[in-house]
Amino acid sequence: QVQLVESGGGLVQAGGSLRLSCTASGSIFEDNHMAWYRQAPGKQRDVIAAITSRGNTNYADSVKGRFTISRDGAKNTVYLQMNSLKPDDTAVYYCNLRQGGSDYLKDYWGQGTQVTVSS
């Protein structure tokens, strides 16, 4: 089993910054993907940033240039640095870890952390 614990959410004014952290523990494979998703009220949960165990990253267009995902392999921790925040960034942010074998993939989720951006 894998457990993910997030921290770093909160209330910030538009234009401000926040840094989210997510630490994974348990049975973690060397090869895995970690990602940040977010879900605003009444909307689906969408991926906004992802990083492989080799450090390759991908971003949703809505956050490209403002958010940066990074990871510390030794600590099994992934970070999301969020700059130039907008009210539209308000959502619950979830950490995800995906890993598996040759014929399966399994997703693990954190509990979510609220990010609120005031105008």
Side-chain angles (χ1 to χ4, degrees):
Q1 271 291 30
V2 173
Q3 296 78 40
L4 301 175
V5 178
E6 302 149 350
S7 62
L11 173 64
V12 64
Q13 289 188 331
S17 298
L18 281 175
R19 188 194 196 206
L20 305 183
S21 300
C22 171
T23 298
S25 62
S27 181
I28 300 167
F29 297 177
E30 185 175 343
D31 188 16
N32 61 67
H33 288 203
M34 297 191 77
W36 288 96
Y37 287 68
R38 69 184 182 188
Q39 187 169 21
K43 295 188 177 180
Q44 66 181 19
R45 188 178 298 187
D46 291 323
V47 60
I48 56 169
I51 187 166
T52 69
S53 51
R54 294 172 177 78
N56 297 317
T57 59
N58 272 297
Y59 297 92
D61 288 343
S62 58
V63 306
K64 201 172 291 184
R66 299 188 298 123
F67 291 9
T68 302
I69 189 170
S70 60
R71 65 188 294 169
D72 183 334
K75 297 180 181 179
N76 288 322
T77 298
V78 63
Y79 305 96
L80 186 68
Q81 178 66 43
M82 305 185 293
N83 298 328
S84 302
L85 282 160
K86 307 174 183 179
D88 283 350
D89 295 318
T90 295
V92 178
Y93 285 68
Y94 295 93
C95 177
N96 168 269
L97 184 147
R98 175 171 292 177
Q99 63 183 22
S102 58
D103 58 351
Y104 78 97
L105 286 174
K106 188 165 184 179
D107 284 306
Y108 300 90
W109 296 93
Q111 78 282 5
T113 185
Q114 177 70 46
V115 171
T116 303
V117 184
S118 63
S119 56

